[in-house]
Structure formats: C-alpha cells, structure tokens
PDB file of all heavy atoms in Angstrom:
ATOM      1  N   ASN P   1      36.911 -86.199  10.857  1.00 94.00           N
ATOM      2  CA  ASN P   1      36.235 -85.016  10.321  1.00 94.00           C
ATOM      3  C   ASN P   1      34.788 -85.106  10.756  1.00 94.00           C
ATOM      4  O   ASN P   1      33.998 -85.833  10.174  1.00 94.00           O
ATOM      5  CB  ASN P   1      36.349 -85.017   8.790  1.00 94.00           C
ATOM      6  CG  ASN P   1      35.877 -83.705   8.180  1.00 94.00           C
ATOM      7  OD1 ASN P   1      34.838 -83.180   8.556  1.00 94.00           O
ATOM      8  ND2 ASN P   1      36.627 -83.201   7.223  1.00 94.00           N
ATOM      9  N   PHE P   2      34.448 -84.362  11.812  1.00 92.00           N
ATOM     10  CA  PHE P   2      33.122 -84.505  12.405  1.00 92.00           C
ATOM     11  C   PHE P   2      32.791 -83.244  13.195  1.00 92.00           C
ATOM     12  O   PHE P   2      33.654 -82.617  13.792  1.00 92.00           O
ATOM     13  CB  PHE P   2      33.093 -85.722  13.340  1.00 92.00           C
ATOM     14  CG  PHE P   2      31.818 -86.511  13.313  1.00 92.00           C
ATOM     15  CD1 PHE P   2      31.676 -87.603  12.478  1.00 92.00           C
ATOM     16  CD2 PHE P   2      30.752 -86.147  14.113  1.00 92.00           C
ATOM     17  CE1 PHE P   2      30.498 -88.342  12.459  1.00 92.00           C
ATOM     18  CE2 PHE P   2      29.573 -86.866  14.110  1.00 92.00           C
ATOM     19  CZ  PHE P   2      29.443 -87.971  13.271  1.00 92.00           C
ATOM     20  N   SER P   3      31.510 -82.892  13.227  1.00 90.00           N
ATOM     21  CA  SER P   3      31.069 -81.722  13.987  1.00 90.00           C
ATOM     22  C   SER P   3      31.332 -81.913  15.475  1.00 90.00           C
ATOM     23  O   SER P   3      31.237 -83.028  15.995  1.00 90.00           O
ATOM     24  CB  SER P   3      29.567 -81.496  13.762  1.00 90.00           C
ATOM     25  OG  SER P   3      29.059 -80.519  14.668  1.00 90.00           O
ATOM     26  N   GLY P   4      31.639 -80.811  16.152  1.00 89.00           N
ATOM     27  CA  GLY P   4      31.890 -80.868  17.584  1.00 89.00           C
ATOM     28  C   GLY P   4      30.671 -80.580  18.431  1.00 89.00           C
ATOM     29  O   GLY P   4      30.779 -80.391  19.654  1.00 89.00           O
ATOM     30  N   LYS P   5      29.495 -80.567  17.813  1.00 87.00           N
ATOM     31  CA  LYS P   5      28.278 -80.253  18.562  1.00 87.00           C
ATOM     32  C   LYS P   5      27.978 -81.284  19.637  1.00 87.00           C
ATOM     33  O   LYS P   5      27.359 -80.993  20.651  1.00 87.00           O
ATOM     34  CB  LYS P   5      27.087 -80.135  17.604  1.00 87.00           C
ATOM     35  CG  LYS P   5      27.139 -78.923  16.695  1.00 87.00           C
ATOM     36  CD  LYS P   5      25.925 -78.862  15.793  1.00 87.00           C
ATOM     37  CE  LYS P   5      25.972 -77.647  14.883  1.00 87.00           C
ATOM     38  NZ  LYS P   5      24.787 -77.585  13.976  1.00 87.00           N
ATOM     39  N   SER P   6      28.381 -82.520  19.397  1.00 89.00           N
ATOM     40  CA  SER P   6      28.130 -83.602  20.337  1.00 89.00           C
ATOM     41  C   SER P   6      29.376 -84.470  20.459  1.00 89.00           C
ATOM     42  O   SER P   6      30.202 -84.527  19.544  1.00 89.00           O
ATOM     43  CB  SER P   6      26.942 -84.447  19.861  1.00 89.00           C
ATOM     44  OG  SER P   6      26.840 -85.649  20.609  1.00 89.00           O
ATOM     45  N   LEU P   7      29.506 -85.159  21.584  1.00 93.00           N
ATOM     46  CA  LEU P   7      30.616 -86.090  21.761  1.00 93.00           C
ATOM     47  C   LEU P   7      30.319 -87.454  21.147  1.00 93.00           C
ATOM     48  O   LEU P   7      31.182 -88.339  21.148  1.00 93.00           O
ATOM     49  CB  LEU P   7      30.923 -86.279  23.256  1.00 93.00           C
ATOM     50  CG  LEU P   7      31.348 -85.040  24.052  1.00 93.00           C
ATOM     51  CD1 LEU P   7      31.865 -85.453  25.419  1.00 93.00           C
ATOM     52  CD2 LEU P   7      32.396 -84.223  23.317  1.00 93.00           C
ATOM     53  N   ASP P   8      29.141 -87.607  20.609  1.00 93.00           N
ATOM     54  CA  ASP P   8      28.746 -88.873  19.988  1.00 93.00           C
ATOM     55  C   ASP P   8      29.344 -88.959  18.585  1.00 93.00           C
ATOM     56  O   ASP P   8      28.660 -88.825  17.583  1.00 93.00           O
ATOM     57  CB  ASP P   8      27.217 -88.974  19.933  1.00 93.00           C
ATOM     58  CG  ASP P   8      26.749 -90.348  19.459  1.00 93.00           C
ATOM     59  OD1 ASP P   8      27.571 -91.275  19.479  1.00 93.00           O
ATOM     60  OD2 ASP P   8      25.575 -90.471  19.069  1.00 93.00           O
ATOM     61  N   ARG P   9      30.682 -89.186  18.552  1.00 94.00           N
ATOM     62  CA  ARG P   9      31.434 -89.252  17.311  1.00 94.00           C
ATOM     63  C   ARG P   9      32.197 -90.574  17.261  1.00 94.00           C
ATOM     64  O   ARG P   9      32.794 -90.979  18.270  1.00 94.00           O
ATOM     65  CB  ARG P   9      32.406 -88.067  17.218  1.00 94.00           C
ATOM     66  CG  ARG P   9      31.744 -86.707  17.418  1.00 94.00           C
ATOM     67  CD  ARG P   9      32.697 -85.559  17.143  1.00 94.00           C
ATOM     68  NE  ARG P   9      33.849 -85.527  18.017  1.00 94.00           N
ATOM     69  CZ  ARG P   9      33.911 -84.816  19.153  1.00 94.00           C
ATOM     70  NH1 ARG P   9      32.868 -84.093  19.537  1.00 94.00           N
ATOM     71  NH2 ARG P   9      34.999 -84.830  19.900  1.00 94.00           N
ATOM     72  N   PRO P  10      32.199 -91.268  16.130  1.00 95.00           N
ATOM     73  CA  PRO P  10      32.776 -92.613  16.044  1.00 95.00           C
ATOM     74  C   PRO P  10      34.209 -92.726  16.550  1.00 95.00           C
ATOM     75  O   PRO P  10      34.518 -93.581  17.393  1.00 95.00           O
ATOM     76  CB  PRO P  10      32.687 -92.934  14.547  1.00 95.00           C
ATOM     77  CG  PRO P  10      31.577 -92.089  14.038  1.00 95.00           C
ATOM     78  CD  PRO P  10      31.619 -90.822  14.838  1.00 95.00           C
ATOM     79  N   THR P  11      35.099 -91.882  16.033  1.00 96.00           N
ATOM     80  CA  THR P  11      36.507 -91.985  16.409  1.00 96.00           C
ATOM     81  C   THR P  11      36.740 -91.553  17.851  1.00 96.00           C
ATOM     82  O   THR P  11      37.545 -92.152  18.576  1.00 96.00           O
ATOM     83  CB  THR P  11      37.377 -91.142  15.457  1.00 96.00           C
ATOM     84  OG1 THR P  11      37.162 -91.592  14.114  1.00 96.00           O
ATOM     85  CG2 THR P  11      38.848 -91.246  15.785  1.00 96.00           C
ATOM     86  N   PHE P  12      36.030 -90.537  18.261  1.00 96.00           N
ATOM     87  CA  PHE P  12      36.140 -90.063  19.648  1.00 96.00           C
ATOM     88  C   PHE P  12      35.716 -91.162  20.622  1.00 96.00           C
ATOM     89  O   PHE P  12      36.380 -91.408  21.638  1.00 96.00           O
ATOM     90  CB  PHE P  12      35.288 -88.817  19.844  1.00 96.00           C
ATOM     91  CG  PHE P  12      35.392 -88.214  21.219  1.00 96.00           C
ATOM     92  CD1 PHE P  12      36.445 -87.379  21.545  1.00 96.00           C
ATOM     93  CD2 PHE P  12      34.449 -88.506  22.192  1.00 96.00           C
ATOM     94  CE1 PHE P  12      36.553 -86.829  22.826  1.00 96.00           C
ATOM     95  CE2 PHE P  12      34.545 -87.965  23.469  1.00 96.00           C
ATOM     96  CZ  PHE P  12      35.597 -87.126  23.783  1.00 96.00           C
ATOM     97  N   LEU P  13      34.612 -91.838  20.319  1.00 96.00           N
ATOM     98  CA  LEU P  13      34.125 -92.916  21.179  1.00 96.00           C
ATOM     99  C   LEU P  13      35.105 -94.090  21.189  1.00 96.00           C
ATOM    100  O   LEU P  13      35.285 -94.748  22.217  1.00 96.00           O
ATOM    101  CB  LEU P  13      32.744 -93.378  20.719  1.00 96.00           C
ATOM    102  CG  LEU P  13      31.610 -92.353  20.869  1.00 96.00           C
ATOM    103  CD1 LEU P  13      30.306 -92.902  20.300  1.00 96.00           C
ATOM    104  CD2 LEU P  13      31.426 -91.959  22.331  1.00 96.00           C
ATOM    105  N   ALA P  14      35.739 -94.335  20.031  1.00 96.00           N
ATOM    106  CA  ALA P  14      36.736 -95.406  19.960  1.00 96.00           C
ATOM    107  C   ALA P  14      37.914 -95.101  20.882  1.00 96.00           C
ATOM    108  O   ALA P  14      38.417 -95.981  21.592  1.00 96.00           O
ATOM    109  CB  ALA P  14      37.215 -95.583  18.522  1.00 96.00           C
ATOM    110  N   LEU P  15      38.364 -93.843  20.876  1.00 96.00           N
ATOM    111  CA  LEU P  15      39.452 -93.424  21.766  1.00 96.00           C
ATOM    112  C   LEU P  15      39.031 -93.568  23.221  1.00 96.00           C
ATOM    113  O   LEU P  15      39.794 -94.076  24.061  1.00 96.00           O
ATOM    114  CB  LEU P  15      39.835 -91.972  21.464  1.00 96.00           C
ATOM    115  CG  LEU P  15      40.817 -91.316  22.448  1.00 96.00           C
ATOM    116  CD1 LEU P  15      42.145 -92.064  22.457  1.00 96.00           C
ATOM    117  CD2 LEU P  15      41.022 -89.845  22.091  1.00 96.00           C
ATOM    118  N   LYS P  16      37.825 -93.142  23.506  1.00 95.00           N
ATOM    119  CA  LYS P  16      37.304 -93.216  24.869  1.00 95.00           C
ATOM    120  C   LYS P  16      37.301 -94.653  25.391  1.00 95.00           C
ATOM    121  O   LYS P  16      37.568 -94.902  26.574  1.00 95.00           O
ATOM    122  CB  LYS P  16      35.882 -92.641  24.888  1.00 95.00           C
ATOM    123  CG  LYS P  16      35.230 -92.568  26.248  1.00 95.00           C
ATOM    124  CD  LYS P  16      33.865 -91.916  26.125  1.00 95.00           C
ATOM    125  CE  LYS P  16      33.127 -91.950  27.447  1.00 95.00           C
ATOM    126  NZ  LYS P  16      31.777 -91.327  27.322  1.00 95.00           N
ATOM    127  N   ASN P  17      37.052 -95.588  24.499  1.00 95.00           N
ATOM    128  CA  ASN P  17      36.978 -96.995  24.896  1.00 95.00           C
ATOM    129  C   ASN P  17      38.345 -97.655  25.038  1.00 95.00           C
ATOM    130  O   ASN P  17      38.480 -98.659  25.737  1.00 95.00           O
ATOM    131  CB  ASN P  17      36.137 -97.782  23.882  1.00 95.00           C
ATOM    132  CG  ASN P  17      34.660 -97.426  23.934  1.00 95.00           C
ATOM    133  OD1 ASN P  17      34.154 -97.029  24.986  1.00 95.00           O
ATOM    134  ND2 ASN P  17      33.977 -97.556  22.805  1.00 95.00           N
ATOM    135  N   VAL P  18      39.365 -97.093  24.378  1.00 95.00           N
ATOM    136  CA  VAL P  18      40.665 -97.754  24.359  1.00 95.00           C
ATOM    137  C   VAL P  18      41.601 -97.278  25.469  1.00 95.00           C
ATOM    138  O   VAL P  18      42.545 -97.991  25.835  1.00 95.00           O
ATOM    139  CB  VAL P  18      41.341 -97.570  22.976  1.00 95.00           C
ATOM    140  CG1 VAL P  18      41.984 -96.198  22.855  1.00 95.00           C
ATOM    141  CG2 VAL P  18      42.370 -98.669  22.722  1.00 95.00           C
ATOM    142  N   VAL P  19      41.357 -96.087  26.006  1.00 95.00           N
ATOM    143  CA  VAL P  19      42.272 -95.554  27.019  1.00 95.00           C
ATOM    144  C   VAL P  19      42.152 -96.326  28.336  1.00 95.00           C
ATOM    145  O   VAL P  19      41.083 -96.818  28.695  1.00 95.00           O
ATOM    146  CB  VAL P  19      42.020 -94.046  27.286  1.00 95.00           C
ATOM    147  CG1 VAL P  19      42.418 -93.219  26.091  1.00 95.00           C
ATOM    148  CG2 VAL P  19      40.574 -93.783  27.675  1.00 95.00           C
ATOM    149  N   ASN P  20      43.282 -96.412  29.027  1.00 94.00           N
ATOM    150  CA  ASN P  20      43.344 -97.101  30.312  1.00 94.00           C
ATOM    151  C   ASN P  20      43.971 -96.201  31.370  1.00 94.00           C
ATOM    152  O   ASN P  20      44.535 -95.133  31.049  1.00 94.00           O
ATOM    153  CB  ASN P  20      44.162 -98.394  30.196  1.00 94.00           C
ATOM    154  CG  ASN P  20      43.509 -99.411  29.279  1.00 94.00           C
ATOM    155  OD1 ASN P  20      42.361 -99.795  29.502  1.00 94.00           O
ATOM    156  ND2 ASN P  20      44.237 -99.854  28.250  1.00 94.00           N
ATOM    157  N   SER P  21      43.885 -96.622  32.601  1.00 94.00           N
ATOM    158  CA  SER P  21      44.475 -95.868  33.709  1.00 94.00           C
ATOM    159  C   SER P  21      45.955 -95.598  33.446  1.00 94.00           C
ATOM    160  O   SER P  21      46.705 -96.490  33.030  1.00 94.00           O
ATOM    161  CB  SER P  21      44.321 -96.670  35.007  1.00 94.00           C
ATOM    162  OG  SER P  21      44.976 -96.032  36.078  1.00 94.00           O
ATOM    163  N   GLY P  22      46.356 -94.329  33.640  1.00 93.00           N
ATOM    164  CA  GLY P  22      47.737 -93.932  33.416  1.00 93.00           C
ATOM    165  C   GLY P  22      48.008 -93.373  32.036  1.00 93.00           C
ATOM    166  O   GLY P  22      49.084 -92.830  31.779  1.00 93.00           O
ATOM    167  N   ASP P  23      47.044 -93.501  31.121  1.00 95.00           N
ATOM    168  CA  ASP P  23      47.222 -92.969  29.762  1.00 95.00           C
ATOM    169  C   ASP P  23      47.085 -91.453  29.743  1.00 95.00           C
ATOM    170  O   ASP P  23      46.495 -90.840  30.642  1.00 95.00           O
ATOM    171  CB  ASP P  23      46.187 -93.574  28.809  1.00 95.00           C
ATOM    172  CG  ASP P  23      46.521 -95.001  28.405  1.00 95.00           C
ATOM    173  OD1 ASP P  23      47.687 -95.394  28.590  1.00 95.00           O
ATOM    174  OD2 ASP P  23      45.622 -95.719  27.932  1.00 95.00           O
ATOM    175  N   THR P  24      47.617 -90.858  28.674  1.00 95.00           N
ATOM    176  CA  THR P  24      47.513 -89.406  28.467  1.00 95.00           C
ATOM    177  C   THR P  24      47.049 -89.133  27.045  1.00 95.00           C
ATOM    178  O   THR P  24      47.605 -89.680  26.093  1.00 95.00           O
ATOM    179  CB  THR P  24      48.879 -88.709  28.691  1.00 95.00           C
ATOM    180  OG1 THR P  24      49.300 -88.937  30.037  1.00 95.00           O
ATOM    181  CG2 THR P  24      48.765 -87.211  28.439  1.00 95.00           C
ATOM    182  N   ILE P  25      46.043 -88.293  26.937  1.00 96.00           N
ATOM    183  CA  ILE P  25      45.523 -87.859  25.633  1.00 96.00           C
ATOM    184  C   ILE P  25      45.955 -86.416  25.410  1.00 96.00           C
ATOM    185  O   ILE P  25      45.871 -85.585  26.322  1.00 96.00           O
ATOM    186  CB  ILE P  25      43.978 -87.924  25.592  1.00 96.00           C
ATOM    187  CG1 ILE P  25      43.490 -89.348  25.872  1.00 96.00           C
ATOM    188  CG2 ILE P  25      43.451 -87.428  24.244  1.00 96.00           C
ATOM    189  CD1 ILE P  25      41.982 -89.428  26.096  1.00 96.00           C
ATOM    190  N   VAL P  26      46.404 -86.110  24.187  1.00 96.00           N
ATOM    191  CA  VAL P  26      46.764 -84.730  23.844  1.00 96.00           C
ATOM    192  C   VAL P  26      45.846 -84.220  22.732  1.00 96.00           C
ATOM    193  O   VAL P  26      45.598 -84.922  21.749  1.00 96.00           O
ATOM    194  CB  VAL P  26      48.231 -84.623  23.381  1.00 96.00           C
ATOM    195  CG1 VAL P  26      48.514 -83.234  22.801  1.00 96.00           C
ATOM    196  CG2 VAL P  26      49.169 -84.861  24.544  1.00 96.00           C
ATOM    197  N   VAL P  27      45.346 -82.990  22.905  1.00 96.00           N
ATOM    198  CA  VAL P  27      44.581 -82.302  21.859  1.00 96.00           C
ATOM    199  C   VAL P  27      45.211 -80.940  21.641  1.00 96.00           C
ATOM    200  O   VAL P  27      45.854 -80.389  22.540  1.00 96.00           O
ATOM    201  CB  VAL P  27      43.090 -82.140  22.237  1.00 96.00           C
ATOM    202  CG1 VAL P  27      42.382 -83.479  22.310  1.00 96.00           C
ATOM    203  CG2 VAL P  27      42.938 -81.378  23.560  1.00 96.00           C
TER     204      VAL P  27
END
C-alpha cells in the first residue's frame, strides 16, 4: 500500500532486487 508517484517503494525495490534473468513479473 504505497503511492505510485515514485518507484522508491520498499516492496517494489525488494522485487526489483530478487528477480533474475528469465523471470516474469505480472501486474
């Protein structure tokens, strides 16, 4: 639960750090 004004969001950054080559993210 976070504003979308910036990508500097805790959970979003955590996802960004965990993904690897070949992964797929769905929104």
Side-chain angles (χ1 to χ4, degrees):
N1 190 315
F2 218 93
S3 170
K5 291 181 180 179
S6 169
L7 299 191
D8 187 16
R9 307 187 298 266
T11 302
F12 183 82
L13 294 177
L15 171 61
K16 184 177 174 181
N17 290 332
V18 80
V19 291
N20 295 303
S21 175
D23 284 343
T24 299
I25 301 170
V26 170
V27 294

